[in-house]
Amino acid sequence: MKRVGVIGAGAAGLCAARHLAARPEFFIFTVFEQTGDVGGTWCYQDNVGTDEFGLPVHSSMYKNMRTNLPKEIMGFPDFPFPENEGGSFIHHSKVLGYLQKYAKYFDLIKYVQFYSHILEVKPVTVDRSHLHWEVKVKNLRSRESTQHIFDAIMVCNGRYACPSFPDIKGLESFPGWVIHSHDYRSNVPYKGKRVVVLGAGPSGVDISVELAEVAEQVILSHNMNKKFLEKCPQNFSEEVGISKVTQSTVRFLNGREFETDVLILCTGYNYDVSFLHPDCKVFVQDQRMQPLYKHLIHIEFPTLAIFGVLKTILPFPIYHQQVLLFLRVLDGSVILPSESEMKEDEKADFDLRMQMGLPSRYAHKMTRDLQWNYDDVISKIGKFSPIPKVVRDLYNHINDVRQKNPIDYKDHCYKIVNNSTFLKLED
Ligand code: FAD
């Protein structure tokens, strides 16, 4: 019997629980969740900053946010989204509803200890061949701390809660508002303001478009070498990256300068695994987490797995695959390569990205082929089915359509027919 500790009850933690619970003869486990709900980042919060317990608000959802992937491919393979949920790109509250139903259907709530904040995870060597994990947990309501022992740890604490702030010259003396997209909730406070949005990932584009409905002026600043919005409102424009901020303006790299009231930084997130004791030997540098085999399993301590490290993926199905792989490692049905082979593999993966011309901070970023190659490899190692071709095809199709039309693509509706082909439905 293996004792497993799961940190977080978002999509990854619930998926871990669903598969651990299916093997009661092999696993005994607890999920520790610091909030009072399952669903993680999909639990929209009106408030920003800190919560009632003084912890940073976890969710990065904004009020009107709709998914950027169609629900037809977003769900776990063993629990599809209901078909009658409206269009394909659904409101975030429906994703939360889906995760709550998943937890209920697989009877997972009984395994979750809510209001349980992980303070520290530390490896302890029992004897030369056996290592276990000491976990210090704080009950946020009683304020008591307890210690737990596990044979394995699944870190599922999410990667969209710790904002990354860029170095911008002059920012410290800019008198206007500066917020990170993590703290953006709706366009209401920005009525009549002159706003610069930095970063054109899915959130940056989405947020700048909804701001344009009420703001006096919106400038979307990015270095993507293309225009995101061909048809745009009069008060909306795009500029290259920011060179500096002055007492009242933002200056861009092309020398153009605009009076600005608000700067919204849609500049991504940092990994935060600060509860892992230094003895865990997990290192994060320039957005690269090491030492991880297949972006998941600690190479030196293979009873520790960190989920949610990969970027630009189809999250729920990939979590499903990663959970299956890790549990098969734990139950002994998959034997990992030697430590030196896993290190080689990790290096080869990184080197490949460098050869592709990606910057080193993209160590865990998946391009289209990298994601499916990764899935092919882990499903082969784990001896389970890869993500179906039709799911991959629709994901690739959406990526293409989003590139061409980053706004209206959400108005389309898709259907998967006979598990083999997808249709774009006419409006
Ligand atoms: P989270 O959902 O963040 O869950 C982590 C959980 O761990 C939380 O409940 C947190 O409270 C808990 N936790 C953290 N630290 C501790 C601790 N120390 N102790 C105890 N508990 C802790 N994905 C899609 O598939 N489609 C989309 O359209 C999409 N849009 C997105 C839009 C936004 C704005 C964001 C931020 C993300 C979006 N995602 C989307 C990605 C989304 O993050 C993943 O789909 C997925 O929900 C992540 O799940 P997770 O379990 O890894 O993390």
Side-chain angles (χ1 to χ4, degrees):
M1 195 72 130
K2 287 242 157 53
R3 299 160 297 178
V4 183
V6 180
I7 302 173
L14 290 174
C15 182
R18 178 256 180 277
H19 294 283
L20 286 161
R23 305 280 309 280
E25 77 291 358
F26 216 90
F27 298 116
I28 176 165
F29 70 100
T30 304
V31 182
F32 297 100
E33 169 53 50
Q34 65 189 3
T35 69
D37 298 297
V38 299
T41 198
W42 299 98
C43 296
Y44 170 80
Q45 304 285 307
D46 264 327
N47 57 321
V48 298
T50 49
D51 66 13
E52 55 185 313
F53 303 108
L55 291 177
V57 167
H58 185 83
S59 178
S60 300
M61 289 294 141
Y62 36 98
K63 213 167 200 158
N64 292 326
M65 188 258 168
R66 282 162 63 198
T67 59
N68 52 41
L69 292 169
K71 69 173 190 314
E72 287 70 20
I73 56 170
M74 244 185 81
F76 296 111
D78 50 0
F79 195 77
F81 270 86
E83 276 195 23
N84 56 354
E85 281 286 72
S88 285
F89 300 88
I90 53 182
H91 187 250
H92 60 74
S93 56
K94 292 195 169 159
V95 182
L96 177 62
Y98 164 86
L99 289 172
Q100 289 167 337
K101 278 186 206 131
Y102 179 82
K104 194 166 172 210
Y105 181 81
F106 292 107
D107 198 14
L108 306 177
I109 300 296
K110 64 184 182 203
Y111 301 104
V112 185
Q113 278 189 20
F114 290 104
Y115 301 108
S116 297
H117 175 62
I118 300 297
L119 295 171
E120 189 178 86
V121 175
K122 190 177 171 184
V124 178
T125 311
V126 183
D127 58 51
R128 280 163 67 114
S129 63
H130 186 218
L131 171 139
H132 70 210
W133 299 92
E134 268 178 21
V135 176
K136 209 185 282 175
V137 185
K138 181 175 177 188
N139 182 308
L140 296 171
R141 293 210 283 200
S142 70
R143 296 185 187 184
E144 275 170 19
S145 294
T146 47
Q147 189 120 319
H148 304 251
I149 303 286
F150 293 104
D151 300 305
I153 297 291
M154 299 171 84
V155 175
C156 303
N157 66 325
R159 64 163 213 88
Y160 291 103
C162 182
S164 164
F165 290 93
D167 250 346
I168 299 175
K169 209 167 148 197
L171 194 60
E172 60 296 337
S173 46
F174 177 65
W177 301 347
V178 180
I179 69 153
H180 191 276
S181 55
H182 180 61
D183 293 333
Y184 176 87
R185 293 293 179 265
S186 81
N187 61 11
V188 175
Y190 308 99
K191 192 168 179 218
K193 304 270 187 220
R194 295 160 300 181
V195 188
V196 171
V197 176
L198 175 62
S203 299
V205 176
D206 246 23
I207 288 173
S208 54
V209 169
E210 73 170 43
L211 281 169
E213 290 165 17
V214 298
E216 181 183 317
Q217 179 186 55
V218 178
I219 299 173
L220 176 62
S221 160
H222 60 86
N223 286 322
M224 306 282 238
N225 264 334
K226 66 169 194 171
K227 262 202 168 318
F228 275 87
L229 261 66
E230 292 306 336
K231 288 179 277 170
C232 58
Q234 271 197 340
N235 61 345
F236 181 97
S237 59
E238 294 181 46
E239 291 290 344
V240 289
I242 294 175
S243 77
K244 70 183 232 181
V245 170
T246 72
Q247 273 297 317
S248 62
T249 67
V250 169
R251 186 183 299 171
F252 297 95
L253 291 166
N254 54 13
R256 286 156 65 89
E257 192 164 352
F258 295 85
E259 294 285 326
T260 302
D261 304 308
V262 184
L263 178 55
I264 302 189
L265 304 170
C266 298
T267 43
Y269 294 84
N270 294 321
Y271 297 113
D272 180 12
V273 284
S274 47
F275 50 76
L276 295 180
H277 186 276
D279 288 356
C280 295
K281 298 188 194 166
V282 172
F283 307 101
V284 183
Q285 196 184 15
D286 195 20
Q287 300 274 332
R288 182 181 182 197
M289 197 182 298
Q290 289 179 275
L292 293 182
Y293 178 58
K294 301 299 174 203
H295 307 266
L296 175 70
I297 299 174
H298 195 297
I299 292 176
E300 200 175 323
F301 305 129
T303 50
L304 173 68
I306 305 182
F307 294 77
V309 173
L310 286 173
K311 301 177 179 180
T312 331
I313 54 164
L314 181 56
F316 297 7
I318 289 283
Y319 286 162
H320 175 94
Q321 306 290 77
Q322 291 183 319
V323 166
L324 291 185
L325 175 64
F326 186 58
L327 297 196
R328 286 179 192 191
V329 169
L330 290 185
D331 74 13
S333 55
V334 166
I335 307 292
L336 289 172
S338 68
E339 200 177 311
S340 60
E341 285 168 329
M342 289 195 279
K343 278 200 174 126
E344 278 289 305
D345 185 85
E346 186 192 41
K347 182 174 176 310
D349 186 285
F350 184 73
D351 290 349
L352 174 68
R353 284 153 203 275
M354 298 306 97
Q355 283 156 20
M356 289 167 71
L358 296 172
S360 57
R361 66 175 191 281
Y362 283 6
H364 304 293
K365 194 173 162 89
M366 288 298 186
T367 63
R368 164 187 307 212
D369 291 340
L370 286 179
Q371 173 168 217
W372 308 135
N373 291 346
Y374 174 81
D375 180 47
D376 285 341
V377 171
I378 66 166
S379 51
K380 197 165 167 211
I381 299 172
K383 304 180 193 85
F384 44 78
S385 306
I387 293 172
K389 182 172 178 307
V390 64
V391 172
R392 297 174 177 204
D393 288 347
L394 181 49
Y395 180 93
N396 293 342
H397 171 78
I398 296 300
N399 259 345
D400 293 342
V401 177
R402 195 193 296 121
Q403 296 291 328
K404 286 190 203 123
N405 190 348
I407 307 302
D408 298 343
Y409 77 96
K410 291 193 184 184
D411 295 339
H412 299 303
C413 217
Y414 293 88
K415 190 176 169 69
I416 289 183
V417 189
N418 298 332
N419 287 325
S420 63
T421 174
F422 69 85
L423 295 177
K424 185 169 151 194
L425 303 178
E426 293 310 321
D427 303 331

Short mmCIF file of all heavy atoms in Angstrom, two decimals, residues 35 37-48 51 57-66 91-97 99-100 181-189 210:
data_model
loop_
_atom_site.label_atom_id
_atom_site.label_comp_id
_atom_site.label_asym_id
_atom_site.label_seq_id
_atom_site.Cartn_x
_atom_site.Cartn_y
_atom_site.Cartn_z
N THR A 35 -8.02 26.30 -0.16
CA THR A 35 -9.30 27.05 -0.14
C THR A 35 -10.42 26.12 0.33
O THR A 35 -10.16 24.97 0.70
CB THR A 35 -9.65 27.60 -1.55
OG1 THR A 35 -9.97 26.47 -2.39
CG2 THR A 35 -8.50 28.38 -2.15
N ASP A 37 -12.90 25.14 -1.65
CA ASP A 37 -13.59 24.58 -2.82
C ASP A 37 -12.64 23.78 -3.69
O ASP A 37 -11.43 24.01 -3.66
CB ASP A 37 -14.13 25.71 -3.72
CG ASP A 37 -15.15 26.55 -3.00
OD1 ASP A 37 -16.19 26.00 -2.64
OD2 ASP A 37 -14.87 27.74 -2.79
N VAL A 38 -13.22 22.92 -4.52
CA VAL A 38 -12.43 22.30 -5.58
C VAL A 38 -12.57 23.17 -6.84
O VAL A 38 -13.50 23.97 -6.94
CB VAL A 38 -12.93 20.85 -5.91
CG1 VAL A 38 -12.80 19.96 -4.69
CG2 VAL A 38 -14.36 20.86 -6.44
N GLY A 39 -11.64 23.03 -7.76
CA GLY A 39 -11.75 23.77 -9.03
C GLY A 39 -10.57 24.69 -9.31
O GLY A 39 -10.36 25.12 -10.44
N GLY A 40 -9.80 25.04 -8.27
CA GLY A 40 -8.58 25.83 -8.47
C GLY A 40 -8.84 27.16 -9.13
O GLY A 40 -9.72 27.92 -8.71
N THR A 41 -8.10 27.42 -10.19
CA THR A 41 -8.15 28.74 -10.82
C THR A 41 -9.53 29.06 -11.40
O THR A 41 -9.86 30.22 -11.63
CB THR A 41 -7.05 28.87 -11.90
OG1 THR A 41 -6.85 30.25 -12.20
CG2 THR A 41 -7.39 28.12 -13.18
N TRP A 42 -10.38 28.04 -11.59
CA TRP A 42 -11.72 28.28 -12.14
C TRP A 42 -12.69 28.79 -11.09
O TRP A 42 -13.85 29.11 -11.41
CB TRP A 42 -12.27 27.01 -12.82
CG TRP A 42 -11.39 26.57 -13.95
CD1 TRP A 42 -10.44 25.62 -13.92
CD2 TRP A 42 -11.37 27.11 -15.29
NE1 TRP A 42 -9.80 25.51 -15.15
CE2 TRP A 42 -10.36 26.42 -16.00
CE3 TRP A 42 -12.09 28.11 -15.95
CZ2 TRP A 42 -10.06 26.69 -17.34
CZ3 TRP A 42 -11.79 28.38 -17.29
CH2 TRP A 42 -10.79 27.68 -17.96
N CYS A 43 -12.25 28.87 -9.82
CA CYS A 43 -13.11 29.44 -8.76
C CYS A 43 -12.94 30.96 -8.79
O CYS A 43 -12.07 31.51 -8.10
CB CYS A 43 -12.69 28.93 -7.38
SG CYS A 43 -12.90 27.18 -7.16
N TYR A 44 -13.74 31.61 -9.60
CA TYR A 44 -13.63 33.08 -9.77
C TYR A 44 -13.77 33.79 -8.42
O TYR A 44 -14.63 33.45 -7.62
CB TYR A 44 -14.73 33.56 -10.73
CG TYR A 44 -14.84 35.06 -10.78
CD1 TYR A 44 -13.96 35.79 -11.56
CD2 TYR A 44 -15.80 35.73 -10.02
CE1 TYR A 44 -14.04 37.18 -11.58
CE2 TYR A 44 -15.88 37.12 -10.04
CZ TYR A 44 -14.99 37.83 -10.82
OH TYR A 44 -15.07 39.20 -10.83
N GLN A 45 -12.92 34.78 -8.18
CA GLN A 45 -13.00 35.60 -6.96
C GLN A 45 -13.14 37.05 -7.37
O GLN A 45 -12.37 37.53 -8.20
CB GLN A 45 -11.68 35.51 -6.17
CG GLN A 45 -11.24 34.12 -5.78
CD GLN A 45 -12.07 33.58 -4.63
OE1 GLN A 45 -12.19 34.24 -3.61
NE2 GLN A 45 -12.67 32.43 -4.83
N ASP A 46 -14.09 37.75 -6.76
CA ASP A 46 -14.21 39.19 -7.03
C ASP A 46 -13.01 39.95 -6.46
O ASP A 46 -12.52 40.90 -7.05
CB ASP A 46 -15.47 39.75 -6.36
CG ASP A 46 -16.63 39.81 -7.34
OD1 ASP A 46 -16.37 40.04 -8.54
OD2 ASP A 46 -17.78 39.61 -6.92
N ASN A 47 -12.56 39.49 -5.30
CA ASN A 47 -11.50 40.24 -4.64
C ASN A 47 -10.11 39.91 -5.21
O ASN A 47 -9.91 38.84 -5.81
CB ASN A 47 -11.51 40.00 -3.12
CG ASN A 47 -11.38 38.54 -2.78
OD1 ASN A 47 -11.95 37.70 -3.46
ND2 ASN A 47 -10.61 38.22 -1.77
N VAL A 48 -9.19 40.83 -5.00
CA VAL A 48 -7.81 40.62 -5.43
C VAL A 48 -6.91 40.80 -4.21
O VAL A 48 -7.38 41.18 -3.15
CB VAL A 48 -7.40 41.61 -6.55
CG1 VAL A 48 -8.24 41.41 -7.79
CG2 VAL A 48 -7.47 43.05 -6.06
N ASP A 51 -6.60 36.74 0.54
CA ASP A 51 -7.90 36.21 0.94
C ASP A 51 -8.12 36.38 2.44
O ASP A 51 -7.31 37.01 3.13
CB ASP A 51 -8.05 34.74 0.48
CG ASP A 51 -7.07 33.81 1.21
OD1 ASP A 51 -6.47 34.23 2.21
OD2 ASP A 51 -6.93 32.66 0.77
N VAL A 57 -4.74 35.67 -3.32
CA VAL A 57 -5.89 35.12 -4.04
C VAL A 57 -5.36 34.24 -5.18
O VAL A 57 -4.46 34.67 -5.91
CB VAL A 57 -6.78 36.26 -4.59
CG1 VAL A 57 -7.78 35.74 -5.59
CG2 VAL A 57 -7.48 36.97 -3.43
N HIS A 58 -5.88 33.03 -5.30
CA HIS A 58 -5.30 32.08 -6.24
C HIS A 58 -5.82 32.26 -7.68
O HIS A 58 -5.06 32.18 -8.63
CB HIS A 58 -5.61 30.65 -5.77
CG HIS A 58 -4.96 29.60 -6.61
ND1 HIS A 58 -3.65 29.21 -6.43
CD2 HIS A 58 -5.43 28.91 -7.67
CE1 HIS A 58 -3.35 28.29 -7.35
NE2 HIS A 58 -4.42 28.09 -8.10
N SER A 59 -7.11 32.53 -7.81
CA SER A 59 -7.71 32.51 -9.15
C SER A 59 -7.27 33.69 -10.02
O SER A 59 -7.14 34.81 -9.53
CB SER A 59 -9.23 32.52 -9.04
OG SER A 59 -9.79 32.55 -10.33
N SER A 60 -7.07 33.40 -11.30
CA SER A 60 -6.73 34.47 -12.25
C SER A 60 -7.88 34.73 -13.21
O SER A 60 -7.69 35.35 -14.25
CB SER A 60 -5.51 34.05 -13.09
OG SER A 60 -4.41 33.82 -12.27
N MET A 61 -9.05 34.25 -12.88
CA MET A 61 -10.19 34.41 -13.80
C MET A 61 -10.72 35.83 -13.76
O MET A 61 -10.72 36.46 -12.71
CB MET A 61 -11.33 33.47 -13.40
CG MET A 61 -11.04 32.04 -13.68
SD MET A 61 -10.93 31.72 -15.44
CE MET A 61 -9.56 30.55 -15.46
N TYR A 62 -11.19 36.33 -14.91
CA TYR A 62 -11.91 37.60 -14.90
C TYR A 62 -13.36 37.32 -15.23
O TYR A 62 -13.72 36.25 -15.74
CB TYR A 62 -11.27 38.63 -15.84
CG TYR A 62 -10.68 38.09 -17.12
CD1 TYR A 62 -11.40 38.13 -18.30
CD2 TYR A 62 -9.40 37.55 -17.14
CE1 TYR A 62 -10.86 37.64 -19.48
CE2 TYR A 62 -8.86 37.05 -18.31
CZ TYR A 62 -9.59 37.09 -19.48
OH TYR A 62 -9.07 36.59 -20.64
N LYS A 63 -14.17 38.31 -14.89
CA LYS A 63 -15.62 38.09 -14.82
C LYS A 63 -16.21 37.49 -16.11
O LYS A 63 -16.99 36.54 -16.06
CB LYS A 63 -16.31 39.41 -14.52
CG LYS A 63 -17.54 39.26 -13.69
CD LYS A 63 -17.99 40.59 -13.16
CE LYS A 63 -18.90 40.36 -11.98
NZ LYS A 63 -18.96 41.53 -11.12
N ASN A 64 -15.84 38.05 -17.26
CA ASN A 64 -16.49 37.62 -18.51
C ASN A 64 -15.66 36.61 -19.28
O ASN A 64 -15.91 36.36 -20.45
CB ASN A 64 -16.71 38.83 -19.42
CG ASN A 64 -17.74 39.75 -18.84
OD1 ASN A 64 -18.69 39.29 -18.18
ND2 ASN A 64 -17.55 41.05 -19.02
N MET A 65 -14.65 36.04 -18.63
CA MET A 65 -13.72 35.18 -19.36
C MET A 65 -14.42 33.93 -19.91
O MET A 65 -15.16 33.26 -19.19
CB MET A 65 -12.57 34.79 -18.43
CG MET A 65 -11.46 34.06 -19.09
SD MET A 65 -11.67 32.34 -18.69
CE MET A 65 -10.58 31.53 -19.76
N ARG A 66 -14.19 33.69 -21.19
CA ARG A 66 -14.66 32.44 -21.81
C ARG A 66 -13.43 31.63 -22.21
O ARG A 66 -12.38 32.20 -22.48
CB ARG A 66 -15.51 32.74 -23.05
CG ARG A 66 -16.93 33.17 -22.68
CD ARG A 66 -17.58 33.87 -23.86
NE ARG A 66 -17.72 33.00 -25.00
CZ ARG A 66 -17.93 33.43 -26.25
NH1 ARG A 66 -17.99 34.73 -26.51
NH2 ARG A 66 -18.07 32.58 -27.24
N HIS A 91 -18.29 29.99 -20.75
CA HIS A 91 -17.96 30.88 -19.63
C HIS A 91 -17.22 30.07 -18.55
O HIS A 91 -17.51 28.89 -18.35
CB HIS A 91 -19.24 31.50 -19.06
CG HIS A 91 -18.98 32.53 -18.03
ND1 HIS A 91 -19.25 32.34 -16.70
CD2 HIS A 91 -18.42 33.77 -18.12
CE1 HIS A 91 -18.90 33.42 -16.01
NE2 HIS A 91 -18.39 34.31 -16.85
N HIS A 92 -16.31 30.75 -17.83
CA HIS A 92 -15.49 30.02 -16.84
C HIS A 92 -16.33 29.31 -15.78
O HIS A 92 -15.93 28.28 -15.25
CB HIS A 92 -14.46 30.95 -16.19
CG HIS A 92 -15.03 32.13 -15.46
ND1 HIS A 92 -15.65 32.01 -14.24
CD2 HIS A 92 -15.07 33.45 -15.76
CE1 HIS A 92 -16.05 33.20 -13.82
NE2 HIS A 92 -15.70 34.09 -14.74
N SER A 93 -17.50 29.86 -15.47
CA SER A 93 -18.33 29.24 -14.42
C SER A 93 -18.77 27.83 -14.84
O SER A 93 -18.98 26.96 -13.99
CB SER A 93 -19.55 30.11 -14.13
OG SER A 93 -20.26 30.33 -15.33
N LYS A 94 -18.89 27.61 -16.16
CA LYS A 94 -19.29 26.28 -16.62
C LYS A 94 -18.15 25.27 -16.47
O LYS A 94 -18.38 24.08 -16.28
CB LYS A 94 -19.76 26.34 -18.07
CG LYS A 94 -21.06 27.12 -18.17
CD LYS A 94 -21.75 26.92 -19.47
CE LYS A 94 -23.16 27.51 -19.37
NZ LYS A 94 -23.73 27.82 -20.66
N VAL A 95 -16.92 25.76 -16.58
CA VAL A 95 -15.78 24.85 -16.38
C VAL A 95 -15.72 24.47 -14.89
O VAL A 95 -15.51 23.31 -14.54
CB VAL A 95 -14.46 25.50 -16.83
CG1 VAL A 95 -13.30 24.53 -16.65
CG2 VAL A 95 -14.55 25.95 -18.28
N LEU A 96 -15.97 25.45 -14.03
CA LEU A 96 -16.01 25.13 -12.59
C LEU A 96 -17.12 24.10 -12.33
O LEU A 96 -16.89 23.11 -11.61
CB LEU A 96 -16.25 26.40 -11.76
CG LEU A 96 -16.37 26.17 -10.25
CD1 LEU A 96 -15.07 25.57 -9.69
CD2 LEU A 96 -16.71 27.46 -9.51
N GLY A 97 -18.28 24.34 -12.93
CA GLY A 97 -19.40 23.39 -12.75
C GLY A 97 -19.00 21.99 -13.21
O GLY A 97 -19.31 20.99 -12.55
N LEU A 99 -15.93 20.72 -13.29
CA LEU A 99 -14.98 20.11 -12.34
C LEU A 99 -15.70 19.65 -11.06
O LEU A 99 -15.37 18.61 -10.48
CB LEU A 99 -13.85 21.09 -12.01
CG LEU A 99 -12.86 21.34 -13.16
CD1 LEU A 99 -11.90 22.47 -12.82
CD2 LEU A 99 -12.08 20.08 -13.51
N GLN A 100 -16.69 20.43 -10.64
CA GLN A 100 -17.47 20.02 -9.45
C GLN A 100 -18.21 18.71 -9.74
O GLN A 100 -18.28 17.82 -8.90
CB GLN A 100 -18.44 21.12 -9.05
CG GLN A 100 -17.73 22.33 -8.45
CD GLN A 100 -18.62 23.57 -8.34
OE1 GLN A 100 -19.61 23.69 -9.06
NE2 GLN A 100 -18.27 24.48 -7.46
N SER A 181 -2.42 41.12 -14.94
CA SER A 181 -3.70 40.53 -15.39
C SER A 181 -4.28 39.58 -14.33
O SER A 181 -5.49 39.35 -14.30
CB SER A 181 -3.52 39.79 -16.71
OG SER A 181 -2.50 38.82 -16.60
N HIS A 182 -3.43 39.04 -13.46
CA HIS A 182 -3.92 38.20 -12.36
C HIS A 182 -4.98 38.95 -11.53
O HIS A 182 -5.89 38.32 -10.98
CB HIS A 182 -2.71 37.83 -11.48
CG HIS A 182 -3.06 36.97 -10.31
ND1 HIS A 182 -3.61 35.72 -10.43
CD2 HIS A 182 -2.93 37.18 -8.97
CE1 HIS A 182 -3.80 35.19 -9.23
NE2 HIS A 182 -3.40 36.05 -8.33
N ASP A 183 -4.85 40.28 -11.48
CA ASP A 183 -5.77 41.08 -10.66
C ASP A 183 -6.82 41.80 -11.49
O ASP A 183 -7.53 42.68 -10.99
CB ASP A 183 -4.97 42.13 -9.85
CG ASP A 183 -4.09 41.47 -8.81
OD1 ASP A 183 -4.43 40.37 -8.36
OD2 ASP A 183 -3.03 42.06 -8.47
N TYR A 184 -6.92 41.48 -12.76
CA TYR A 184 -7.95 42.10 -13.60
C TYR A 184 -9.25 41.31 -13.45
O TYR A 184 -9.24 40.09 -13.56
CB TYR A 184 -7.50 42.09 -15.07
CG TYR A 184 -8.56 42.63 -16.00
CD1 TYR A 184 -8.64 44.00 -16.26
CD2 TYR A 184 -9.47 41.78 -16.62
CE1 TYR A 184 -9.62 44.50 -17.11
CE2 TYR A 184 -10.46 42.27 -17.47
CZ TYR A 184 -10.52 43.64 -17.70
OH TYR A 184 -11.51 44.13 -18.53
N ARG A 185 -10.34 42.02 -13.18
CA ARG A 185 -11.62 41.33 -13.01
C ARG A 185 -12.66 41.74 -14.06
O ARG A 185 -13.38 40.91 -14.57
CB ARG A 185 -12.19 41.58 -11.61
CG ARG A 185 -11.34 40.95 -10.48
CD ARG A 185 -11.39 39.43 -10.55
NE ARG A 185 -10.59 38.79 -9.53
CZ ARG A 185 -9.33 38.36 -9.68
NH1 ARG A 185 -8.71 38.52 -10.84
NH2 ARG A 185 -8.69 37.77 -8.71
N SER A 186 -12.74 43.06 -14.33
CA SER A 186 -13.69 43.52 -15.35
C SER A 186 -13.24 44.88 -15.84
O SER A 186 -12.34 45.51 -15.25
CB SER A 186 -15.10 43.61 -14.75
OG SER A 186 -15.23 44.82 -14.05
N ASN A 187 -13.91 45.37 -16.90
CA ASN A 187 -13.48 46.65 -17.48
C ASN A 187 -14.05 47.86 -16.73
O ASN A 187 -13.67 49.00 -17.00
CB ASN A 187 -13.84 46.71 -18.97
CG ASN A 187 -15.33 46.58 -19.23
OD1 ASN A 187 -16.14 46.66 -18.31
ND2 ASN A 187 -15.68 46.37 -20.49
N VAL A 188 -14.94 47.63 -15.78
CA VAL A 188 -15.66 48.75 -15.13
C VAL A 188 -14.72 49.84 -14.56
O VAL A 188 -14.93 51.03 -14.84
CB VAL A 188 -16.63 48.22 -14.05
CG1 VAL A 188 -17.30 49.35 -13.29
CG2 VAL A 188 -17.67 47.30 -14.69
N PRO A 189 -13.67 49.49 -13.81
CA PRO A 189 -12.84 50.57 -13.23
C PRO A 189 -12.07 51.39 -14.27
O PRO A 189 -11.47 52.41 -13.93
CB PRO A 189 -11.84 49.80 -12.33
CG PRO A 189 -12.38 48.43 -12.19
CD PRO A 189 -13.20 48.16 -13.40
N GLU A 210 -12.01 43.83 -24.35
CA GLU A 210 -13.14 44.25 -23.50
C GLU A 210 -12.91 45.63 -22.89
O GLU A 210 -13.85 46.35 -22.62
CB GLU A 210 -13.57 43.17 -22.50
CG GLU A 210 -12.69 42.89 -21.33
CD GLU A 210 -13.40 41.96 -20.30
OE1 GLU A 210 -14.06 40.98 -20.69
OE2 GLU A 210 -13.27 42.25 -19.09
#
